Amino acid sequence: MPRATDMPASPVLVRKAGPEDAETLFRLTAGLIEDHLPGQEPWTNAEAIKANGFGADPLFEALIAERNGRPIGFVSFFRGYAGWRGQPMGIVHALYVVPDERRSGAARALMAGVARIALERGWIRIELFVEEGRTAIAFYERIGMRDLRHRHMRLEGEALERLARSDL
C-alpha cells in the first residue's frame, strides 16, 4: 500500500471527538498500544472510553484527525495545573497517527489543535511524556517542545497500596 507521503495529499481535518467516537478512539488507542507493546491486548474498551471522556465529569478530551472522512489519528489531553506558576496547563496523554499516515502532517495538525485550545482557555503551556529513544522526540522538538530532562515516575499496584497503608 502506498504511504501517505507518496500520494497527493487531501487536507487533514481535525475535529473534537464526541461520545459517538468512542469506538474510533478505542481502535486508535489499540494501535498506539500495539506500537509500544506489540501483542499486548488493550487494558480498556470503547465503553470505558465513552464513560471516562464524555460523561458528567470527563477525565480527558480528544481530537480526531481525518483524511477523506477516514480517522487517521487522535490526541487525548486534559487540564492540569502548573503549581509554580499558579496557572492552568494542558497535558497530552496520547498522540497517535496510523502508520500509513505518518509524516503526512496529521500529528502536527492534532498538536496545533491542542495549542489553539490551550490559548483559548488561557493555559500557560502544554506538556507530555515520551519514552526515551522514541522517534517522536524529534517531531516534538520540531514543533517547538523542549526536553526538560525530567524522569517520569509512577506509583501503582502493590507499591501504591503499601504506601497508602503506611503511617505518615
Side-chain angles (χ1 to χ4, degrees), residues 115-155:
R116 284 189 287 279
I117 289 169
L119 291 177
E120 289 168 6
R121 295 179 184 176
W123 294 353
I124 194 167
R125 64 181 178 239
I126 298 169
E127 292 189 359
L128 57 80
F129 301 102
V130 62
E131 294 172 18
E132 270 308 312
R134 300 298 288 186
T135 57
I137 293 170
F139 162 74
Y140 294 127
E141 289 174 339
R142 278 194 308 277
I143 65 169
M145 296 188 98
R146 60 189 173 92
D147 187 348
L148 300 176
R149 307 273 182 222
H150 291 171
R151 292 190 60 184
H152 182 181
M153 306 295 286
R154 178 177 291 161
L155 183 65

Side-chain angles (χ1 to χ4, degrees), residues 18-145:
E20 67 281 0
D21 295 307
E23 184 62 41
T24 297
L25 290 171
F26 171 71
R27 282 193 317 270
L28 293 168
T29 299
L32 176 63
I33 293 168
E34 181 64 26
D35 270 8
H36 287 260
L37 300 168
Q40 173 64 53
E41 290 293 318
W43 296 278
T44 190
N45 56 52
E47 294 77 28
I49 288 171
K50 186 174 184 178
N52 293 328
F54 306 102
D57 184 21
L59 299 175
F60 71 91
E61 297 177 67
L63 301 175
I64 295 176
E66 296 178 332
R67 188 182 309 278
N68 298 324
R70 175 181 154 240
I72 61 170
F74 83 106
V75 62
S76 64
F77 60 97
F78 54 94
R79 186 179 70 155
Y81 184 65
W84 290 11
R85 296 279 192 96
Q87 299 282 330
M89 66 180 200
I91 301 171
V92 170
H93 170 260
L95 174 64
Y96 176 74
V97 174
V98 297
D100 67 332
E101 287 285 347
R102 292 183 184 157
R103 301 192 188 290
S104 71
R108 183 180 187 87
L110 286 162
M111 288 299 291
V114 176
R116 284 189 287 279
I117 289 169
L119 291 177
E120 289 168 6
R121 295 179 184 176
W123 294 353
I124 194 167
R125 64 181 178 239
I126 298 169
E127 292 189 359
L128 57 80
F129 301 102
V130 62
E131 294 172 18
E132 270 308 312
R134 300 298 288 186
T135 57
I137 293 170
F139 162 74
Y140 294 127
E141 289 174 339
R142 278 194 308 277
I143 65 169
M145 296 188 98

